[in-house]
Amino acid sequence: MNKYYNTLELHKILDMLESEASNEQTKSMVRRLEPLSDLDKVKKEIQKTSDAFDLSVKNGSPAFYNFKDIRGSLHRAQSGASLSLRELLDIAGMLRQICMLDDWYISCGCEEENSLTYLFTSLSPNKNLEKKITEAIISEDEISDMASPELADIRRKISRAGLHIRESLDKMVRSAEVQKSLQESVVTIRDGRFVLPVKAEHKGKIQGIVHASSASGSTLFIEPIAVVEANNDIRILKDREQEEIERIISELSMECGAYAETISADYETCAELDLYFAKSNLAAKMKASVPEISDDGKIDLKRARHPLIDSSKVVPVDIRLGYDYDSLIITGPNTGGKTVLLKTVGLLTSMVMCGMMIPASDGSHISVFDNILVDIGDMQSIENDLSTFSSHISNTVEICRRADDRSLILLDELGSGTDPVEGAALAVSIINKLRSMGARLMVTTHYQELKIYALDTEGAENGSCEFDVTTLRPTYRLIMGAPGKSNAFSISSKLGIDKDIIENAKALVSGENRRFEEVIEQLENSRKEYDRLNEEVRILKQQHEQLKEELEQERKRFNDSRDAEFEKARIAAMRIVENCRVESDKLLDELAEIRKEKNKASFENSAISAKSKSRSALDRMYKEANPIRPVEKKEYVLPRPLKRGDHVLIFDIDKKGILASDPDNNGNVYVQAGIMKTTTNIKNLRLIEAEKVTYKSNKVSTTKNVRGKMQRKTSLELDIRGYAVDEGIIEVDSFIDNAVMGHAGIVTIVHGKGTGVLRAGIQKHLKNHPSVKSFRNGVFGEGEDGVTVVELK
């Protein structure tokens, strides 16, 4: 990495990226990363990072293991060599990583291709080989009995033979005569053979073969003659076991060699995918976004944050360069954040050129450059006999030599470290030289000559880092279009310099400089006033938008309420029509029965009874269609006696009608209300004749009670995702009741997949629901396990 990127501390960002990588190959790829200057390549790399980020947001990041570099082992296996158990286990780990990534991508269900599709689809999972290796090898030192039937059989025979020998030797150990000759009453193994520890002075009492002795020589390890043949059999079986193990390893190595090229390619693909998801994970931690990218030299950073500063302390800044001006002269006091601004622009541009997302708001724009040339910091060197000024000038000479129209140049305190007049003149000359080459330029300075240069020169712009003189703290805001003050006098005064010293210093400043500072101060005050007014406008606009949103919500609630009322009215009408149909069928059945009895003596009484029942049924239907509301008892005085033909209000049902008869002795009267005629008492009537209607109370409060009132809009689908089981059951019961009232046949309950607890609870409840005929899980296109489809009785 060149020194300019080191100055911008790009290596620290790459260290952060490396910590997100999972394996050594990916870490090595991170260490080799360098900013690209080819626009197409940068866009492709950014797109891959962006697609990895989107996939992680939707499906969670895939798991990456610390898989080893198995390419060398595969090459050896391809050439016919047998691999070690460790090497085979590493290959199995790589195969497991390949299978996991393939399964993860399939589970994402990506219908549209993206820039990572070719990597995922190039993977060739080999679950069969992975299973063979993992089932055959327990660890780098042990082969499983399940590696082959032959190996399992050999080991069973070894175990049985060893058990038989132990039983024989245990009998000898338990013998009182033999125990006298033993150092310890135990059976042990030497050179793979079962032996007894015999005292050296009693070696003649136990016939057998001496295999070893203790360090002191007091104990001899003797293999009794009785078990020599059995130990020989075990030795033969052990040899057969080793041969079978070598055969298994050779077979597995050959199979790995057969797939060597495919697995090697998949290894590199997995490492590459790990790189893009590492970039994605780092972007998530930085709360980064993807900027627009071009190579036109334009930079527009919105709420950009330096990624190496604590996110809780960094102040976002807006920076533009290359649009209306190609050079930005930044002024302001020391510790005001000027250097951080330069590094933020350079570092974020470098990150984009490395294919990384940046900590800035959406809508930001970054240009790709061939060169990012930087002179930041004090690089004086005693060894090379360089002062601060000399080191800056040496670096500037190199920058001028390399600069062109595809260069971004960042210069900190240009011309400082020497006589201010000469330094300022030199700085202006350097800026003119670099601008003539077409470079994009950001310069920090304290020189007034550079502030005036930016005011007078087309294509150059002033910017200032805001500083609060009251608190002696920078705000780190970049104010575009206005030069900043160094505030040396104000800061010195706040820090305790005597007032007479400050006044004397002010007197020493030339009149021209004083007037310029006054103009800057006036501009600053005007800007602050503008900011204040702008903030008021912003607040008013925010209030307007909030009010607009509230009105929109109110309108939506009104429309929803209106639709709900229409729906309730429709359901009530359907219910009334159905009731009328039922009553009509009953009347027709009764008429049919009466016709059959017309010749009987009781026919007249039956006809009268049927007529009475018919009237009663019609009254019931009328009352159902015009439900009566309970009202508070309010005293009402009729302005005059009622007579036939008067227009009246039937108070309890809120219907207007005309008296069809004069009141009888009990005050009952017939009222024609539309096509229906009803009977009521005059106490329930209000005369509609003149404006004067006398009440003894100023307020009449009524509540309307509609039988069978629906509490919510009938729908064929209920969404209870996020509900607890008990809450969901309550919602389902109410929903099914509404659906039954609306004569719905099949409804859908959306509960989501999640952990399956909500689905299980709802379906358990549906089994015993009196209105449910059957239910099932959704199929493809309906929501599958995320929904339950219910058929109602």
Side-chain angles (χ1 to χ4, degrees), residues 31 87 99 124 364 447 550 671:
R31 289 192 291 269
E87 288 175 309
C99 292
S124 301
S364 294
Y447 291 146
E550 290 174 357
V671 180

Side-chain angles (χ1 to χ4, degrees), residues 300-313:
D300 184 9
L301 294 175
K302 298 179 179 179
R303 296 189 61 77
R305 306 175 301 278
H306 195 291
L308 297 178
I309 300 177
D310 188 345
S311 59
S312 63
K313 297 178 181 179

Side-chain angles (χ1 to χ4, degrees), residues 60-100:
S61 297
F64 285 92
Y65 308 120
N66 183 18
F67 50 83
K68 306 299 181 185
D69 187 350
I70 39 77
R71 290 174 294 183
S73 301
L74 290 170
H75 181 71
R76 289 177 50 243
Q78 196 174 22
S79 64
S82 289
L83 304 180
S84 68
L85 297 185
R86 178 71 267 165
E87 288 175 309
L88 289 170
L89 286 173
D90 288 341
I91 292 173
M94 187 67 249
L95 292 171
R96 187 162 52 252
Q97 175 73 82
I98 295 167
C99 292
M100 188 281 303

